[in-house]
Amino acid sequence: MEAYENKPLLVKGKIRKHKLISNNYGEMVIEAPQIAKRAKPGQFVMLSRWQIKNLLLKRPFSFYQINPQEGRFTILYKIVGKGTEILSNSKIGDEIELIGPCGNGFLLPKEANRIALVARGIGIATLLPLAQEASNRGIEIYSFLSAREKSLLLGRDSLESLSFHTFYTTDDGSKGRKGKVTYFLEELLKENKVNFEAVYTCGSKRLAQHIQELQQKFHFFSYVSLEERMGCGIGACKGCVIRTCHGYQRVCKEGPVFPLEEVMFYER
Amino acid sequence: MKDKVDLSVNLGSLHLKNPVMPASGTFDIRDTLLNMRELNSLGAIITKSIASRRREGNPGPRVWETDGGMINAVGVPGEGVEYFKEHILPLLEEANDTIIVSMVGDSIVDFCALAKKLDNFEKISALEINLSCPNLNNGLYFGVNKDVLGDLIYQLKKSTQKIIIAKLSPNVTDITEMALTAQEAGADILTIANTFLGMAIDPEKQIPRLGNKVGGISGPAIRPIIVRMIWETSQKVKIPLIGVGGITCAQDALEMFLAGASAVQIGCANFSNPYVMLEVIQGIKEYLLRKKYSSLLDIIGLVHKNHF
Ligand SMILES: Cc1cc2nc3c(=O)[nH]c(=O)nc-3n(C[C@H](O)[C@H](O)[C@H](O)COP(=O)(O)OP(=O)(O)OC[C@H]3O[C@@H](n4cnc5c(N)ncnc54)[C@H](O)[C@@H]3O)c2cc1C
Ligand SMILES: Cc1cc2nc3c(=O)[nH]c(=O)nc-3n(C[C@H](O)[C@H](O)[C@H](O)COP(=O)(O)O)c2cc1C
Ligand code: FES
């Protein structure tokens, strides 16, 4: 069967570092060399730190940092329910079951000079490894980060240090400008001074829809990383679809990264 | 030294080298972590339900975890039977000797035409009829109406030489009535059962969790109901039963054999543990050895004898 080597693997990892950030977030370093070696920015892992009889499904998390040399990767997670609650009670040395790397990562254009990263909240996590790779290749990064408030601009220091320019917006004005996430991006595009080979976004469907609108006005290429409820994470259950111009596509298999213009958002 | 046990079983004329296979729709030969050797060690491979034409499936979200299980409304998407024959069947043939094709149809005519199209393929061992997919209006209709169910199975038996497995819907008052009807109409084997209709609602957004609003519940929560249904049905029908619903380990599968099932299918447990089917095969073997049985056949329906 084709591309056998690229299939995700089921492996047991070890939790090497774990810290809670404020009440609702956690950052966890997981040792799993087989996965860390193959992980690419934009891909994700399915993980469980529970027995199947307690919680049936694994949960998807993006790679936040990838360290192939040390055989480790990091996830940044938000506590929202049972699974992430259990995760937040993890101790160093605990075993964690993983399936990954799953999905297709971000593509950087071959000849890119400058890219834009637009992320909201926990979506910043997904874009950080992309920023790392782009920075390694000498690509100039403009980051546009947004959150409800300053403390939710997670990973902003890491991203800022990799970026040529970082623009902040918060809903309450506690950092950067108050208001719409895409304000700065739109201003730059309007002035026609900077030119992005690609715009990457993640973290909110509403945000992605805004960028789609800008795309129609300013014609740039864009990728979006999307989330959907998952069963298997490997393409088997057809549970994680989103609507695209090619019909329904699986977030875990054809995605989670999609060309933005192909995605058809709809409000439920 | 008695360290060999025989896991093989005949379900009528369907021979299985062991009694463990995936449940339809929870396993895809194109997207599995199992290698060729592992695929070949399964009792059979069963496909997602195949339709005569391409089907889109339901809008998302299509899955939601519930206490002790999950609810899905995937809606049987697929490329249709012609694509299946050309692109998927060859992969299946390479992977396992026993291939069961699950079928879904809009009408009796549609079902029969589909069965005819699959009849020429020698490598297909049996057809499983998805009577009970609660996500499609028509699926529900076949599985919960005795007359239509009987008529469908009867017509299918006339359309194909293949072994017919009727996968019953549990969403009925008395599943043994449906089982008897299917048997009388000529079904060779029964699968008990498909998912239970259910619903989940998001209290924050005040909307259903699933795009299709309602869906089918699977997973550990339904297992005791399925075990009871196997136990009841096996007392009434003569044809063999395949048990499915909530198996996550060998212990769970053993309950179904003891209740009267001759084989089992494993569904959503594959999602969390892609190797669960292999572990269950191993676990059954260990159990039989420990209890000093030489064959799986020794325990099928044993509960009926042990209880008076
Ligand atoms: C490809 C992908 C990558 C992801 N990466 C990350 C990541 O890096 N960090 C992170 O914190 N989260 C990430 N998520 C989301 C994460 O998987 C969910 O938050 C997690 O599964 C919740 O599990 P739980 O058991 O705690 O919550 P559950 O009990 O399953 O759900 C609790 C509540 O959270 C909501 N919820 C759960 N999952 C989602 C979701 N996927 N989208 C929208 N709402 C949801 C539900 O509506 C529910 O009300 C990602 C999701 C996908 C699909
Ligand atoms: C995501 C998903 C898709 C399914 N698709 C089908 C299908 O196409 N045809 C079918 O007959 N049953 C389908 N089923 C039902 C399963 O085959 C099985 O009957 C059910 O999940 C109960 O078993 P389990 O508890 O082991 O999962 C599906 C179940 C799930 C969870
Ligand atoms: S989660 Fe199963 S197909 Fe994507």
Side-chain angles (χ1 to χ4, degrees):
Chain A
M1 249 165 287
E2 80 293 342
Y4 214 86
E5 320 73 60
N6 291 330
K7 289 190 181 206
L9 303 167
L10 175 78
V11 301
K12 293 225 158 56
K14 273 253 155 64
I15 296 170
R16 289 303 179 201
K17 285 183 194 164
H18 184 216
K19 68 171 183 222
L20 295 178
I21 312 166
S22 75
N23 283 332
N24 289 321
Y25 293 85
E27 194 179 321
M28 181 179 281
V29 178
I30 299 169
E31 184 171 301
Q34 288 157 293
I35 290 180
K37 260 190 281 176
R38 288 169 46 190
K40 295 195 194 72
Q43 289 187 301
F44 65 95
V45 282
M46 299 293 289
L47 66 77
S48 57
R49 227 216 84 221
W50 46 82
Q51 298 301 312
I52 192 167
K53 296 225 194 227
N54 297 332
L55 208 54
L56 181 67
L57 301 171
K58 288 188 156 51
R59 303 289 195 258
F61 295 91
S62 306
F63 294 113
Y64 176 52
Q65 279 157 3
I66 306 168
N67 191 335
Q69 284 82 28
E70 288 183 24
R72 293 173 178 204
F73 63 87
T74 309
I75 60 164
L76 182 66
Y77 64 90
K78 181 176 181 184
I79 302 167
V80 296
K82 262 196 223 168
T84 44
E85 183 72 45
I86 297 173
L87 206 58
S88 73
N89 292 320
S90 300
K91 288 185 294 296
I92 290 168
D94 282 357
E95 208 168 66
I96 191 158
E97 201 172 271
L98 308 156
I99 297 176
C102 299
N104 295 303
F106 290 109
L107 291 173
L108 280 168
K110 275 211 175 69
E111 304 286 321
N113 296 311
R114 192 179 298 111
I115 60 169
L117 308 181
V118 193
R120 182 166 168 86
I122 194 87
I124 299 172
T126 308
L127 294 184
L128 185 67
L130 174 69
Q132 188 65 59
E133 187 179 318
S135 163
N136 292 348
R137 282 178 45 181
I139 298 169
E140 204 169 274
I141 301 165
Y142 280 60
S143 293
F144 303 85
L145 308 183
S146 125
R148 235 175 38 240
E149 51 168 76
K150 185 177 171 185
S151 69
L152 300 179
L153 288 161
L154 299 151
R156 67 169 183 276
D157 296 338
S158 312
L159 206 51
E160 194 175 312
S161 70
L162 295 169
S163 304
F164 182 71
H165 251 303
T166 309
F167 301 88
Y168 292 102
T169 44
T170 42
D171 298 356
D172 65 356
S174 52
K175 170 108 183 147
R177 195 174 189 280
K178 185 170 168 171
K180 210 163 149 183
V181 191
T182 46
Y183 170 83
F184 288 114
L185 178 63
E186 185 163 5
E187 289 302 301
L188 280 182
L189 291 167
K190 257 199 239 159
E191 287 168 16
N192 211 3
K193 281 206 183 116
V194 280
N195 186 23
F196 300 111
E197 269 86 17
V199 175
Y200 299 84
T201 184
C202 181
S204 145
K205 284 191 180 153
R206 185 126 50 90
L207 165 57
Q209 274 172 296
H210 281 318
I211 297 180
Q212 240 178 12
E213 285 159 23
L214 292 180
Q215 205 178 16
Q216 274 159 19
K217 260 201 250 171
F218 300 106
H219 307 289
F220 49 85
F221 200 74
S222 183
Y223 289 103
V224 61
S225 173
L226 290 173
E227 291 186 6
E228 195 40 84
R229 303 297 305 187
M230 290 191 173
C232 66
I234 62 168
C237 75
K238 329 296 169 210
C240 62
V241 297
I242 52 125
R243 199 117 181 79
T244 74
C245 60
H246 310 296
Y248 287 122
Q249 296 209 313
R250 293 164 295 182
V251 168
C252 73
K253 182 80 188 193
E254 283 82 37
V257 177
F258 293 92
L260 181 61
E261 74 268 16
E262 292 184 4
V263 179
M264 294 156 78
F265 295 101
Y266 55 94
E267 298 287 0
R268 275 184 72 208
Chain B
M1 275 280 285
K2 194 183 152 206
D3 63 346
K4 276 237 176 324
V5 278
D6 186 4
L7 289 188
S8 72
V9 55
N10 290 321
L11 284 71
S13 55
L14 180 67
H15 176 77
L16 302 179
K17 61 176 173 282
N18 70 61
V20 179
M21 64 184 99
S24 175
T26 62
F27 177 88
D28 190 327
I29 188 73
R30 295 164 296 179
D31 298 296
T32 171
L33 303 194
L34 304 189
N35 63 30
M36 276 298 169
R37 189 182 48 76
E38 291 161 341
L39 288 168
N40 190 39
S41 71
L42 300 174
I45 297 184
I46 185 163
T47 66
K48 173 138 191 93
S49 299
I50 306 295
S52 52
R53 285 175 303 277
R54 195 186 126 76
R55 293 168 74 122
E56 279 244 281
N58 287 327
R62 287 178 172 181
V63 292
W64 177 259
E65 180 152 347
T66 52
D67 294 339
M70 63 181 285
I71 177 167
N72 92 83
V74 171
V76 205
E79 296 87 349
V81 66
E82 297 306 326
Y83 182 95
F84 169 75
K85 288 196 294 196
E86 199 169 325
H87 299 284
I88 303 178
L89 197 50
L91 299 176
L92 292 166
E93 288 175 359
E94 222 183 307
N96 197 290
D97 301 331
T98 310
I99 299 166
I100 301 173
V101 176
S102 170
M103 300 186 358
V104 67
D106 297 336
S107 63
I108 292 183
V109 175
D110 187 33
F111 258 118
C112 291
L114 186 55
K116 276 196 184 120
K117 284 189 180 159
L118 297 167
D119 207 33
N120 310 334
F121 288 86
E122 227 180 275
K123 291 283 179 63
I124 298 176
S125 306
L127 302 176
E128 187 182 74
I129 314 307
N130 179 355
L131 295 162
S132 41
C133 180
N135 307 326
L136 300 169
N137 295 334
N138 292 339
L140 186 60
Y141 176 80
F142 288 115
V144 302
N145 185 311
K146 235 167 52 175
D147 296 340
V148 190
L149 168 67
D151 202 14
L152 172 63
I153 301 295
Y154 179 75
Q155 299 292 342
L156 273 169
K157 280 302 283 183
K158 288 207 299 194
S159 313
T160 174
Q161 304 290 319
K162 300 277 183 216
I163 295 167
I164 293 288
I165 307 172
K167 184 172 182 183
L168 301 180
S169 165
N171 299 304
V172 292
T173 312
D174 181 358
I175 197 157
T176 64
E177 272 189 39
M178 298 296 162
L180 282 168
T181 304
Q183 174 177 270
E184 275 159 33
D188 301 290
I189 301 167
L190 302 175
T191 298
I192 297 180
N194 214 310
T195 51
F196 288 78
L197 261 182
M199 186 174 189
I201 293 172
D202 182 342
E204 288 308 312
K205 295 189 185 152
Q206 303 173 331
I207 54 172
R209 296 281 193 187
L210 297 179
N212 188 56
K213 301 179 184 71
V214 298
I217 300 175
S218 58
I222 70 170
R223 198 184 70 249
I225 315 178
I226 295 291
V227 171
R228 184 265 299 171
M229 286 179 166
I230 294 168
W231 180 74
E232 280 177 355
T233 307
S234 65
Q235 296 173 71
K236 297 233 172 129
V237 300
K238 295 195 185 68
I239 53 179
L241 308 180
I242 302 174
V244 52
I247 297 176
T248 65
C249 61
Q251 287 289 318
D252 302 348
L254 288 165
E255 281 193 79
M256 295 198 189
F257 296 124
L258 293 167
S262 301
V264 294
Q265 298 178 345
I266 301 181
C268 53
N270 285 301
F271 302 158
S272 198
N273 179 5
Y275 295 104
V276 65
M277 292 185 286
L278 306 175
E279 291 170 14
V280 169
I281 295 171
Q282 185 58 31
I284 296 168
K285 205 184 281 174
E286 284 164 13
Y287 171 86
L288 293 174
L289 277 172
R290 178 164 60 81
K291 293 271 191 189
K292 303 208 168 31
Y293 291 110
S294 58
S295 162
L296 172 73
L297 306 182
D298 297 338
I299 65 161
I300 293 173
L302 200 59
V303 145
H304 298 290
K305 291 186 204 134
N306 292 349
H307 116 140
F308 30 91

